[in-house]
């Protein structure tokens, strides 16, 4: 097993997802089901996340990218967890948010070890999943 395969396997475990290698790029296959409010109805949708890393270098860094779909009320907790995670954001980090009336698209890109990116992203996703459970319990 080569280095890229080992990193992909570790990222898959951290993200609780399957990984697919396409040349020098690794695609993380992860989905999320959302109940999206629209007017007086709700739509249940399962959305694919677009998570990948590519260009793995000798020092362990790679170009990491993710597109995550959130409900507007989840954005603050998601972003807070990314920022406050024990592994600080790398100096080569970018994010942008595109907000619609019912869904938010969170784009992020970094140059760091894929394992660090996966740990931070996984923690942010777990935070919003926990908040969703609490919202339906109360």
């Amino acid at each position: 097993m080569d280095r890229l395969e080992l990193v992909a396997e570790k990222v898959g475990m951290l993200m609780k997802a399957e990984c697919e290698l396409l040349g020098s790029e690794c695609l993380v296959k992860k989905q999320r089901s959302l109940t999206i409010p629209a007017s007086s109805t709700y739509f249940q949708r399962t959305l694919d996340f677009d998570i990948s890393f590519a260009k793995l270098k000798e020092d362990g860094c790679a170009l990491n990218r993710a597109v995550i779909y959130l409900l507007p009320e989840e954005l603050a907790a998601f972003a807070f967890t990314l920022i406050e995670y024990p592994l600080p954001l790398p100096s080569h980090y970018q994010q942008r948010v595109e907000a619609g009336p019912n869904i938010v698209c969170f784009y992020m890109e970094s140059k760091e070890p894929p394992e660090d990116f996966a740990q931070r992203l996984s923690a942010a996703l777990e935070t919003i999943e926990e908040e969703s459970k609490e919202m339906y319990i109360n």
Side-chain angles (χ1 to χ4, degrees):
M1 190 178 283
D2 73 0
R3 192 163 154 251
L4 182 62
E5 290 174 316
L6 289 171
V7 172
E9 187 176 297
K10 187 167 183 182
V11 166
M13 287 189 304
L14 290 167
M15 295 293 304
K16 298 176 186 155
E18 290 184 31
C19 291
E20 180 182 347
L21 293 175
L22 296 172
S24 64
E25 183 176 20
C26 177
L27 305 176
V28 179
K29 298 186 177 247
K30 190 160 180 80
Q31 297 179 324
R32 180 168 185 235
S33 293
L34 291 174
T35 302
I36 303 168
S39 299
S40 61
T41 60
Y42 292 88
F43 296 96
Q44 183 72 28
R45 295 287 185 256
T46 300
L47 303 171
D48 293 323
F49 291 145
D50 183 10
I51 305 169
S52 66
F53 69 88
K55 301 178 184 176
L56 185 65
K57 299 192 186 248
E58 286 298 316
D59 66 359
C61 288
L63 177 60
N64 304 280
R65 291 185 174 136
V67 179
I68 308 297
Y69 299 99
L70 306 166
L71 296 173
E73 59 270 18
E74 297 172 326
L75 179 60
F78 182 83
F80 179 82
T81 303
L82 287 177
I83 293 166
E84 294 299 321
Y85 192 73
L87 288 171
L89 290 168
S91 57
H92 295 283
Y93 175 81
Q94 296 178 9
Q95 73 181 39
R96 78 177 195 277
V97 176
E98 291 181 10
N102 303 319
I103 198 159
V104 173
C105 190
F106 193 98
Y107 297 88
M108 50 194 293
E109 181 176 296
S110 72
K111 290 182 184 172
E112 65 183 315
E115 301 94 320
D116 293 355
F117 183 79
Q119 284 179 34
R120 190 181 306 104
L121 179 55
S122 184
L125 290 170
E126 285 176 20
T127 296
I128 59 174
E129 290 302 320
E130 287 300 316
E131 284 194 357
S132 289
K133 288 178 189 171
E134 289 176 16
M135 204 174 355
Y136 291 112
I137 290 172
N138 293 332

